[in-house]
Amino acid sequence: MNSDSSTGPSRASARRAFEERRRRRSLAIAATSTVVFVGLVALLVPRMPRWDRVKQSFFSGEQFADSFPRLLDAFVLDLKIFAWSVPIILGFGMLVALTRVSRNPALFPIRALCVVYVDLMRGVPVLLWIYLIGFGVPGLGLDRPWNSPLLWGTVALCVTYSSYVSEVFRAGIEGVHESQRAAARSLGLTHGQTLRLVVIPQAVRRVVPPLMNDLVSLQKDVALVSLIGPIEILRQAGIDKSKFANFTPYVVAAVIFLCVTIPLTRTADWLLARERRRTGGTRVAA
Amino acid sequence: MTAQLSIRNVHKSFGSNDVLRGISLDVPRGSVVAFIGASGSGKSTLLRCINLLEPIDDGEIVLDGVDISAPGFDANVARRDVGLVFQSYNLFPHMNVLRNITLALTHATGITRPDAEATAIDLLDRFGLADKARAYPEQLSGGQQQRVAIIRAVALRPSVLLLDEVTAALDPQLVGEVLDLIAELRTSGMTMLMATHEMNFARDVADTVCFLHEGAIHEMGRPEDILDSPREERTQAFLARTMRR
């Protein structure tokens, strides 16, 4: 195979040139199609018959500047609800998941209860639970502060999302290979130690990406609490809209939400990609 | 000489599949038994039963005079005396080598973490893996992972070590380092039961070779007798198939 060493370098450079040409062509196609698409939108939308009115009522710069600080203030409440809910949801979700995977006969009734709980929570829209719990429980005639719709709306979010998260955790726990349990037990670790030291740490690592997706949904669904009273960003945007007869506050709220959810989703994607790299998945060449 | 480990008429079935059909065997202290036989002959199941990972249906397993297979006997206590090493290593991927070895020491035997780490580092040193103490399993070769897995089991000072085809998943050039470790354990007097496809290694290391066929010990004896001049037809057929490779 002597000829290989002589043709090698030239063939390698030919291949490099070919790859380079292909890369440039892809870039050129992407750039052209982007310019055409944006150009069409910029050209056609303003020609719509009512564009001027839409622009005035949805994209008013003046209204944007006026509403922005107010809405940002109101958004703090959303962030607070989110921040309270996340640890509760993760803790309670894990507890439900562990109950469901346990084989302890004494826990049978609680296990059955957990199955019913998860079915009920997952089978009904979040908004309905917020109405039912947020209006229903304060309706029992509790005293302040226990009759606050803010409190019970948050509780409704926590119980619904805990059920989603418990299923994610359960899948993670069941996804840890049986041989890991066998190894831990063969070393004399108890069932509980095996779960705590070997299974759960691996399960949690594995479910971080899907967990992040649920948290992004939660971040948006916090706004649903507004429908039973608390003045958070969506509610405040509604008030502004009515006051100024202009829809721009809704666009402001959307922009503020995006500032939080886009970084969150990107982080989730990044974690997912990293997990895939670690577990050995590879990309197929074009 | 009294046996350290006595396996008496052990039966085990999975559903209608009778995997072990009355296995009896006495293992003297410090001796090495090699189980050979085709896949599905019950070698792995027997080892898993001795470690109590699988409850047996009938018979008894007596270790140092105690029936560890008795209903209600604390399996966690028995397992500290019976180490098991798996074909697929089964190291804990989220822990480094040191923690893999010390985990059971600190949690199952109640040794303090500094003492456990000293034990682990001694063993890693002895078997030439001291520089890997902080590495994670995925950073090691298969041979290194399997050596760590053996050390993890040995660190608990079991009175019997079970090796379940520990070289079967390894690249051929990595088999040697694992076999060397096992040979060294033998010289230190460790009682070992191993399921293996390495006939030459069985010949070098084992005191007794058992040929398992359909869940029963079909023929057993000294390695040279079983491997060179087996009396049973099935043993001859199995060895002819295996040696040809």
Side-chain angles (χ1 to χ4, degrees):
Chain A
M1 295 299 226
N2 268 340
S3 60
D4 257 17
S5 55
S6 56
T7 62
S10 67
R11 186 173 293 173
S13 67
R15 175 162 292 278
R16 260 199 308 280
F18 172 75
E19 296 284 355
E20 183 60 26
R21 268 202 310 281
R22 195 160 69 168
R23 202 179 58 87
R24 280 207 199 123
R25 219 183 69 180
S26 301
L27 263 175
I29 293 173
T32 315
S33 82
T34 307
V35 167
V36 168
F37 181 76
V38 172
L40 278 177
V41 170
L43 199 71
L44 291 181
V45 171
R47 288 173 182 240
M48 296 290 184
R50 296 274 178 90
W51 167 243
D52 280 345
R53 280 175 59 183
V54 168
K55 192 177 153 195
Q56 173 52 34
S57 50
F58 281 86
F59 302 103
S60 148
E62 207 177 309
Q63 187 59 50
F64 197 102
D66 180 61
S67 285
F68 189 79
R70 223 175 3 259
L71 291 179
L72 202 59
D73 270 356
F75 189 59
V76 171
L77 182 59
D78 293 79
L79 292 179
K80 277 186 185 164
I81 296 176
F82 182 69
W84 295 328
S85 307
V86 168
I88 297 174
I89 288 167
L90 293 181
F92 192 54
M94 178 57 92
L95 207 64
V96 172
L98 286 176
T99 310
R100 288 195 70 177
V101 299
S102 86
R103 290 162 206 165
N104 186 336
L107 287 179
F108 177 78
I110 302 179
R111 206 153 47 231
L113 201 66
C114 283
V115 175
V116 173
Y117 158 74
V118 172
D119 282 353
L120 282 182
M121 291 299 144
R122 292 208 308 170
V124 175
V126 184
L127 182 55
L128 253 174
W129 283 118
I130 290 175
Y131 277 138
L132 289 173
I133 299 175
F135 284 137
V137 179
L140 293 171
L142 300 172
D143 292 330
R144 277 165 70 86
W146 299 106
N147 58 0
S148 137
L150 174 60
L151 172 69
W152 292 104
T154 308
V155 168
L157 272 182
C158 286
V159 291
T160 45
Y161 269 83
S162 294
S163 74
Y164 308 158
V165 164
S166 80
E167 287 295 280
V168 172
F169 277 137
R170 189 163 70 105
I173 291 170
E174 288 175 349
V176 174
H177 200 268
E178 193 57 39
S179 64
Q180 286 286 310
R181 274 173 246 252
R185 299 309 301 277
S186 81
L187 291 167
L189 296 177
T190 63
H191 176 72
Q193 288 170 331
T194 300
L195 212 54
R196 183 163 55 86
L197 301 166
V198 176
V199 178
I200 293 177
Q202 293 186 55
V204 167
R205 241 158 270 229
R206 210 174 289 196
V207 300
V208 163
L211 219 48
M212 290 289 287
N213 284 333
D214 274 352
L215 292 186
V216 171
S217 301
L218 171 67
Q219 169 57 31
K220 291 179 292 175
D221 282 353
V222 165
L224 294 175
V225 172
S226 70
L227 296 176
I228 59 171
I231 299 179
E232 50 67 74
I233 187 167
L234 181 57
R235 182 81 162 197
Q236 185 63 53
I239 293 170
D240 275 26
K241 176 215 67 177
S242 308
K243 201 150 120 196
F244 304 107
N246 191 298
F247 287 102
T248 307
Y250 283 139
V251 176
V252 176
V255 168
I256 292 176
F257 266 108
L258 286 175
C259 288
V260 175
T261 49
I262 288 181
L264 270 179
T265 38
R266 283 295 164 276
T267 312
D269 288 349
W270 177 76
L271 288 169
L272 197 66
R274 196 185 61 167
E275 180 69 19
R276 201 172 293 147
R277 263 202 312 279
R278 270 206 337 206
T279 51
T282 48
R283 283 182 57 153
V284 177
Chain B
M1 183 158 73
T2 55
Q4 178 183 19
L5 175 70
S6 285
I7 300 161
R8 294 176 191 156
N9 193 30
V10 164
H11 285 261
K12 173 71 188 175
S13 53
F14 295 104
S16 60
N17 183 14
D18 295 329
V19 182
L20 299 179
R21 311 171 185 222
I23 301 256
S24 293
L25 179 70
D26 282 339
V27 183
R29 190 175 301 278
S31 72
V32 176
V33 179
F35 295 103
I36 60 172
S39 299
S41 59
K43 306 185 296 284
S44 291
T45 304
L46 177 60
L47 296 183
R48 288 173 71 92
C49 284
I50 299 172
N51 185 262
L52 306 184
L53 276 182
E54 307 285 354
I56 59 174
D57 299 333
D58 197 8
E60 50 189 24
I61 296 165
V62 180
L63 180 66
D64 293 317
V66 180
D67 179 5
I68 59 172
S69 64
F73 189 87
D74 187 351
N76 296 319
V77 173
R79 289 192 188 115
R80 278 177 234 154
D81 284 328
V82 185
L84 174 60
V85 183
F86 301 85
Q87 176 177 336
S88 50
Y89 336 133
N90 299 8
L91 293 179
F92 306 129
H94 59 301
M95 297 177 176
N96 65 23
V97 164
L98 195 61
R99 194 71 188 119
N100 260 281
I101 298 171
T102 56
L103 186 72
L105 283 171
T106 53
H107 285 86
T109 65
I111 294 173
T112 64
R113 191 142 171 187
D115 286 350
E117 292 191 348
T119 305
I121 286 174
D122 271 357
L123 284 166
L124 287 170
D125 214 17
R126 187 173 142 202
F127 296 115
L129 287 164
D131 57 324
K132 301 293 181 193
R134 306 281 165 191
Y136 282 81
E138 63 181 12
Q139 299 166 322
L140 302 181
S141 73
Q144 290 168 334
Q145 290 192 50
Q146 191 59 291
R147 281 150 69 202
V148 171
I150 295 173
I151 291 171
R152 178 173 74 174
V154 169
L156 289 161
R157 301 182 178 283
S159 50
V160 175
L161 185 63
L162 311 173
L163 303 163
D164 186 6
E165 301 198 17
V166 292
T167 57
L170 294 177
D171 288 338
Q173 76 270 22
L174 300 177
V175 169
E177 61 190 68
V178 173
L179 297 185
D180 288 347
L181 196 164
I182 297 170
E184 175 159 356
L185 287 175
R186 180 194 199 280
T187 57
S188 70
M190 175 73 76
T191 310
M192 289 188 277
L193 277 66
M194 53 188 200
T196 188
H197 290 302
E198 300 281 336
M199 297 305 158
N200 291 327
F201 183 66
R203 187 197 308 273
D204 291 344
V205 166
D207 300 294
T208 308
V209 172
C210 294
F211 172 64
L212 259 63
H213 181 74
E214 292 182 352
I217 295 179
H218 200 66
E219 186 172 357
M220 65 185 269
R222 295 186 304 158
E224 53 272 30
D225 294 342
I226 300 295
L227 298 174
D228 296 335
S229 43
R231 278 167 287 123
E232 301 287 334
E233 211 171 295
R234 287 213 171 91
T235 319
Q236 291 162 2
F238 170 75
L239 287 171
R241 270 203 312 280
T242 314
M243 299 295 191
R244 206 180 304 140
R245 287 187 307 168

